[in-house]
Amino acid sequence: MVDSQYYLPNDVGISALDCSEAFRLLSPREKMYAHYLSRAAWYGGLAVLLQTSPESANIFVLLQRIFRKQTPAQLEKDATAAGLSSEEYQAFLVYAAGLYANMGNYKSFGDTKFIPNLPKYKLEALVKASQAFQEQPTEMKALWDSCSCLIYSLEKRQKQLGLGDKGITTYFSGNCSLEDAELAQKFLDSKVNCVVDGECQSCCGSFNFEDKEFSVKRGDYSPLMEKVASNLQQAQAFAANENQRKMLEEYQRSFTLGSIEAHKEGSRYWIKDKSPIVESYIGFIESYRDPFGSRGEFEGFVAIVNKAMSERFANLVSSAEVLLPELPWPQDFEKDTFLKPDFTSLDVLTFAGSGIPAGINIPNYDDIRQSEGFKNVSLGNVLAVAYATQKEKLTFLEEDDKDMFIQWKGPSFDVQVGLHELLGHGSGKLFVQDDNGEFNFDQTKVINPESKQLVSSWYHGSETWDSKFTTIASSYEECRAECVGLYLCLNKQVLSIFGNEGQQADDVIYVNWLSMVRGGLLGLEFYTPESQSWRQAHMQARFVILRVLLEVGEGLVGLKEVTGQDGKPDIRITLDRSKISTVGKDAIHRFLCKLQVFKSTADVAGGRALYEGYSTVSDGGSHDFLRLRETVLLRKEARKMFVQANTKIKGDVELVEYEGTAAGLIRSFTERFEEDAELLEADLLELNKRDHKIWKPIF
């Protein structure tokens, strides 16, 4: 029997992302702009297959070839003839939908591998019965043989993404250790001036560094990046203003030449493009899935503004300068000037990559964020379906809390996302001494509130948050932002901005804190005891917050192990709402101040000790978290998948929508690339083959 965490259940939630009304209201020019940006995002998103696992691209091509010849409904007849039951065929469709939704065979949220929930011989029989196999048996057999073993393999290392013996990664070669990754980072840091040049050919070649040979080449993903750049160029003709045109021009240069500086320049124009009707961002953005925490995964989104909710976020931005001083660190640890960002609520048209978040704060370039600004977006149509929960599936809460949780989860999440993105990721200063020896703070006067001494450490030159804090950087920063949300949601002004007054405001606070406590418990699903590692940054962050709130005691938070109505182990969460604004607020105040001080001062040792200490999952102390984890796994609910529309030019731009089912998700992908499917699939196979020798130690 395979552990259920390694397959997707047949009843997994699948929802269509509705943006039809928002799209209808666009002008013909705006629709063309959105169409070409979407095409660029979808083509670029295919790079994630190559960034996830050695087999993901080949599995994708296998599925595309099968479903290009037959729809899921047509293929079902062949499946039945091949001996598959209706449940087994549905399991195959769910697996295929999962592969598309995650852009690979590892969950984007949690980094766990998932395999088909049907026997291998049954899946092989289905593949061989398909029309695609009947028409091209030699090619299809070779494709099946290239990935069939890895589709099902659950050897220890292949169960999750990770570095070295802790998992699989295609960000590093198969024999790369943490020490190798650290050396590679030092080498890359030493070449920072070359990287800034971007298109400079001197970046490439062989280099000796600390008695090791490094070879630098360009051109990875080049066939995909060519398509990205081509569609961005076509979008340029429909740009609404000069900032959009220059932004797209710089993005093209970045994807054509491999220039980070060009992408940064494009991001600067993007920040200046205030309140566009069609919003977008594209590139190698988030570093969550790089085990070392530095390399960006490709993503691209296109979305349409929701004016009503955006007005609330704009009011929050206007209040930011009043709210920032409320945060628990000294003024010297806050940015010199708060650069008011755009903050909009958007309905997603396209989000290409490994998964869709609820909110985003970008760009991720520290130097731009500190001195030039950033943007925040909340993805409204994602929030509308992602966190809708049926009462019977709502785990670990007291019955009295369930109805309130369902009623106020949406409004509380709007508040939390707004605070998390704007005043969480948007707050706090990094102390830096630049390459000219200049400081951005007065090192003779600024006192560290933890040590009560002068600040004695800071970032030097090209050092960044990610390059210093590496493996904990992403989760640590998410934890800091989540704490800001918890802390400031107690502010009545914030609650009023989102339309919450009186008892409703108190209920929103309670549900927001209760949701965070429950999230911390659910986070145990994403911890791997064998390697003592976390697989998801946000869930690790929420577990850390749970530990902080449990540690403070005084009856604030309780976790009680009970027996459920089904006779199996269960857990009940309690939260004393009368102590949130006192005991709870004080605990978050102290912890949040520590997080910011360690971050500002580049105190890696102090930050690691604090964060890794609270991240520890053990069977000792007042709570047996390893046993609680088993109960969480027993009662876990699979994460929802989203079906996204396509756009097609038929005179005007048309929106093509699909039903919220596994079959609908599959059809959306096969129709998404039908124009140049064969060439695209050949490119993916060739790109994967090019790197195959690097993964051999994995096999």
Side-chain angles (χ1 to χ4, degrees), residues 636-684:
K636 73 182 180 71
E637 182 181 0
R639 192 171 175 83
K640 285 183 180 176
M641 296 188 282
F642 299 109
V643 182
Q644 299 182 59
N646 285 321
T647 53
K648 293 187 181 296
I649 298 178
K650 294 181 179 178
D652 295 328
V653 180
E654 294 183 3
L655 188 71
V656 183
E657 297 179 282
Y658 304 88
E659 63 182 10
T661 64
L665 205 161
I666 291 165
R667 282 191 57 222
S668 74
F669 266 88
T670 51
E671 294 182 12
R672 190 160 286 145
F673 301 108
E674 59 188 0
E675 298 169 8
D676 51 1
E678 291 188 9
L679 178 60
L680 195 61
E681 290 161 11
D683 285 340
L684 282 170

Side-chain angles (χ1 to χ4, degrees), residues 5 39 49 148 167 188 213 226 260 308 353 400 423 426 480 502-503 506 515 544 670:
Q5 69 175 307
R39 299 307 299 156
L49 294 162
S148 58
L188 292 170
E213 286 296 318
E226 184 178 7
I260 292 177
D400 291 346
L423 299 173
R480 195 182 69 88
Q503 184 61 46
D506 291 339
S515 179
V544 166
T670 51

Side-chain angles (χ1 to χ4, degrees), residues 503-522:
Q503 184 61 46
Q504 177 176 321
D506 291 339
D507 289 344
V508 166
I509 291 171
Y510 178 65
V511 169
N512 195 37
W513 278 64
L514 183 63
S515 179
M516 188 64 68
V517 171
R518 180 172 180 263
L521 181 62
L522 296 179

Side-chain angles (χ1 to χ4, degrees), residues 4 44 87 95 155 243 252 306 317 323 428 444 461 479 570 602 609 693:
S4 64
E87 291 79 12
Y95 175 78
E155 293 181 14
N243 280 324
Q252 290 170 61
N306 178 320
V317 172
L323 295 170
T444 68
C479 186
D570 208 342
K693 63 181 182 296

